[in-house]
Coordinates of all heavy atoms in Angstrom, one line a residue:
G511 N 20.7 -9.5 -22.4 CA 19.8 -10.6 -22.7 C 18.3 -10.2 -22.9 O 17.5 -11.0 -23.1
Q512 N 18.1 -8.8 -22.9 CA 16.7 -8.3 -23.0 C 16.4 -7.9 -24.4 O 17.3 -7.3 -25.1 CB 16.5 -7.1 -22.1 CG 16.7 -7.5 -20.6 CD 15.7 -8.6 -20.2 OE1 14.5 -8.4 -20.3 NE2 16.3 -9.7 -19.7
P513 N 15.2 -8.2 -24.9 CA 14.8 -7.7 -26.2 C 14.5 -6.2 -26.1 O 14.1 -5.7 -25.1 CB 13.5 -8.5 -26.5 CG 13.0 -8.8 -25.1 CD 14.2 -9.0 -24.2
K514 N 14.7 -5.5 -27.2 CA 14.4 -4.0 -27.2 C 13.0 -3.8 -27.7 O 12.7 -4.0 -28.9 CB 15.5 -3.3 -28.1 CG 16.9 -3.4 -27.6 CD 17.9 -2.7 -28.5 CE 19.3 -2.7 -27.9 NZ 19.8 -4.1 -27.7
R515 N 12.1 -3.4 -26.8 CA 10.7 -3.2 -27.2 C 10.4 -1.8 -27.6 O 9.2 -1.5 -27.7 CB 9.8 -3.7 -26.0 CG 10.0 -5.2 -25.7 CD 8.9 -5.6 -24.6 NE 8.9 -7.0 -24.4 CZ 9.7 -7.6 -23.5 NH1 10.5 -6.9 -22.7 NH2 9.6 -8.9 -23.4
G516 N 11.4 -1.0 -27.7 CA 11.1 0.4 -28.0 C 12.4 1.2 -27.8 O 13.5 0.6 -27.6
A517 N 12.3 2.5 -28.0 CA 13.5 3.4 -27.8 C 14.0 3.4 -26.4 O 15.2 3.5 -26.1 CB 13.2 4.8 -28.3
Y518 N 13.0 3.2 -25.4 CA 13.4 3.3 -24.0 C 13.5 2.0 -23.4 O 12.8 1.0 -23.8 CB 12.3 4.2 -23.3 CG 12.4 5.6 -23.6 CD1 11.7 6.1 -24.7 CD2 13.1 6.5 -22.8 CE1 11.7 7.5 -25.1 CE2 13.1 7.9 -23.2 CZ 12.5 8.3 -24.3 OH 12.5 9.7 -24.6
M519 N 14.3 1.9 -22.3 CA 14.5 0.6 -21.6 C 13.2 0.2 -20.8 O 12.9 -0.9 -20.6 CB 15.7 0.7 -20.7 CG 17.0 0.8 -21.4 SD 18.4 0.8 -20.3 CE 19.8 0.6 -21.4
I520 N 12.5 1.3 -20.4 CA 11.2 1.1 -19.7 C 10.2 1.7 -20.6 O 9.8 2.9 -20.4 CB 11.3 1.7 -18.3 CG1 12.4 1.0 -17.4 CG2 9.9 1.5 -17.6 CD1 12.5 1.6 -16.0
P521 N 9.7 1.0 -21.5 CA 8.8 1.6 -22.6 C 7.3 1.6 -22.3 O 6.8 0.8 -21.6 CB 9.1 0.7 -23.8 CG 9.3 -0.7 -23.1 CD 9.9 -0.4 -21.8
K522 N 6.7 2.7 -22.8 CA 5.3 2.8 -22.8 C 4.8 2.2 -24.2 O 3.8 1.5 -24.3 CB 4.8 4.2 -22.6 CG 3.3 4.4 -22.8 CD 2.9 5.9 -22.6 CE 1.4 6.1 -22.8 NZ 1.1 7.5 -22.7
N523 N 5.5 2.6 -25.2 CA 5.3 2.1 -26.5 C 6.6 2.2 -27.3 O 7.7 2.3 -26.7 CB 4.2 3.0 -27.2 CG 4.4 4.5 -27.2 OD1 5.6 4.9 -27.3 ND2 3.4 5.2 -26.9
L524 N 6.6 2.2 -28.6 CA 7.9 2.2 -29.4 C 8.7 3.5 -29.2 O 9.9 3.4 -29.4 CB 7.5 1.9 -30.9 CG 7.0 0.5 -31.2 CD1 6.7 0.5 -32.7 CD2 8.1 -0.5 -30.9
T525 N 8.0 4.6 -29.0 CA 8.8 5.9 -28.9 C 8.7 6.6 -27.6 O 9.5 7.5 -27.4 CB 8.2 6.8 -30.0 OG1 6.8 7.0 -29.8 CG2 8.4 6.2 -31.4
Q526 N 7.9 6.2 -26.7 CA 7.7 6.9 -25.4 C 8.1 6.0 -24.2 O 7.9 4.8 -24.3 CB 6.3 7.4 -25.3 CG 5.8 8.4 -26.3 CD 4.3 8.7 -26.1 OE1 3.5 7.8 -26.2 NE2 4.0 10.0 -25.9
P527 N 8.6 6.7 -23.2 CA 8.9 5.9 -21.9 C 7.6 5.8 -21.1 O 6.7 6.6 -21.2 CB 9.9 6.8 -21.2 CG 9.5 8.2 -21.6 CD 9.0 8.1 -23.0
L528 N 7.6 4.8 -20.3 CA 6.6 4.6 -19.3 C 6.8 5.7 -18.2 O 7.9 6.0 -17.8 CB 6.6 3.2 -18.6 CG 5.5 2.8 -17.7 CD1 4.2 2.6 -18.6 CD2 5.8 1.6 -16.9
G529 N 5.7 6.4 -17.8 CA 5.8 7.4 -16.8 C 6.0 6.9 -15.4 O 5.8 5.7 -15.1
Y530 N 6.5 7.8 -14.5 CA 6.8 7.3 -13.1 C 5.5 6.7 -12.4 O 5.6 5.7 -11.8 CB 7.3 8.5 -12.3 CG 7.5 8.2 -10.8 CD1 8.7 7.6 -10.4 CD2 6.5 8.4 -9.9 CE1 8.8 7.2 -9.1 CE2 6.6 8.1 -8.6 CZ 7.8 7.5 -8.2 OH 8.0 7.2 -6.8
D531 N 4.4 7.4 -12.6 CA 3.2 6.9 -11.9 C 2.8 5.5 -12.4 O 2.4 4.7 -11.6 CB 2.0 7.9 -12.1 CG 2.2 9.2 -11.4 OD1 3.0 9.3 -10.5 OD2 1.6 10.2 -11.8
A532 N 2.9 5.3 -13.7 CA 2.5 4.0 -14.2 C 3.5 2.9 -13.7 O 3.1 1.8 -13.4 CB 2.5 4.0 -15.7
L533 N 4.8 3.3 -13.6 CA 5.8 2.4 -13.1 C 5.5 2.1 -11.6 O 5.7 0.9 -11.2 CB 7.2 3.0 -13.3 CG 8.4 2.1 -12.7 CD1 8.4 0.7 -13.4 CD2 9.7 2.8 -12.9
E534 N 5.2 3.1 -10.9 CA 4.9 2.8 -9.4 C 3.7 1.9 -9.2 O 3.7 1.1 -8.3 CB 4.7 4.2 -8.7 CG 5.1 4.1 -7.3 CD 4.2 4.9 -6.3 OE1 3.3 5.6 -6.8 OE2 4.5 4.8 -5.1
R535 N 2.7 2.0 -10.1 CA 1.6 1.1 -10.0 C 2.0 -0.3 -10.2 O 1.5 -1.2 -9.5 CB 0.5 1.5 -11.0 CG -0.3 2.8 -10.6 CD -1.6 2.9 -11.4 NE -1.3 3.2 -12.8 CZ -1.1 4.4 -13.3 NH1 -1.2 5.5 -12.5 NH2 -0.9 4.6 -14.6
R536 N 2.9 -0.5 -11.2 CA 3.4 -1.9 -11.4 C 4.2 -2.3 -10.2 O 4.1 -3.5 -9.7 CB 4.3 -1.9 -12.6 CG 3.5 -1.8 -13.9 CD 4.5 -1.7 -15.1 NE 3.8 -1.8 -16.4 CZ 3.6 -2.9 -17.1 NH1 4.0 -4.1 -16.6 NH2 3.0 -2.9 -18.2
F537 N 5.0 -1.4 -9.6 CA 5.8 -1.8 -8.4 C 4.9 -2.2 -7.3 O 5.2 -3.2 -6.6 CB 6.7 -0.5 -8.1 CG 7.3 -0.7 -6.7 CD1 8.5 -1.4 -6.5 CD2 6.7 -0.1 -5.6 CE1 9.0 -1.5 -5.3 CE2 7.3 -0.2 -4.3 CZ 8.4 -0.9 -4.2
R538 N 3.8 -1.4 -7.0 CA 3.0 -1.7 -5.9 C 2.3 -3.1 -6.1 O 2.1 -3.8 -5.1 CB 1.9 -0.6 -5.7 CG 2.4 0.7 -5.2 CD 1.3 1.6 -4.6 NE 0.3 1.8 -5.6 CZ 0.2 2.9 -6.4 NH1 1.2 3.8 -6.3 NH2 -0.8 3.1 -7.2
K539 N 2.0 -3.4 -7.3 CA 1.4 -4.7 -7.6 C 2.3 -5.9 -7.2 O 1.9 -6.8 -6.6 CB 1.0 -4.9 -9.0 CG 0.2 -6.1 -9.4 CD -0.2 -6.1 -10.8 CE -1.0 -7.4 -11.2 NZ -1.4 -7.5 -12.6
I540 N 3.6 -5.7 -7.5 CA 4.6 -6.7 -7.2 C 4.8 -6.7 -5.7 O 4.9 -7.8 -5.1 CB 6.0 -6.4 -7.9 CG1 5.8 -6.4 -9.4 CG2 7.0 -7.4 -7.5 CD1 5.4 -7.7 -10.0
R541 N 4.9 -5.5 -5.1 CA 5.1 -5.5 -3.6 C 3.9 -6.2 -2.9 O 4.2 -6.9 -1.9 CB 5.2 -4.0 -3.2 CG 5.6 -3.9 -1.7 CD 5.9 -2.4 -1.3 NE 4.7 -1.6 -1.5 CZ 4.7 -0.3 -1.3 NH1 5.8 0.3 -1.0 NH2 3.6 0.4 -1.5
T542 N 2.7 -6.0 -3.4 CA 1.6 -6.7 -2.8 C 1.7 -8.2 -2.9 O 1.3 -8.9 -2.0 CB 0.3 -6.2 -3.4 OG1 0.1 -4.8 -3.2 CG2 -1.0 -6.9 -2.8
A543 N 2.1 -8.6 -4.0 CA 2.3 -10.0 -4.3 C 3.3 -10.7 -3.3 O 3.2 -11.8 -2.9 CB 2.7 -10.3 -5.7

Side-chain angles (χ1 to χ4, degrees):
Q512 296 303 300
K514 296 178 176 62
R515 296 188 173 92
Y518 289 87
M519 291 181 170
I520 300 178
K522 176 182 179 181
N523 51 42
L524 290 176
T525 59
Q526 294 176 303
L528 192 70
Y530 174 84
D531 290 342
L533 178 59
E534 208 215 359
R535 285 194 293 271
R536 286 175 173 268
F537 167 82
R538 288 200 302 267
K539 184 176 179 180
I540 300 297
R541 187 173 62 182
T542 299

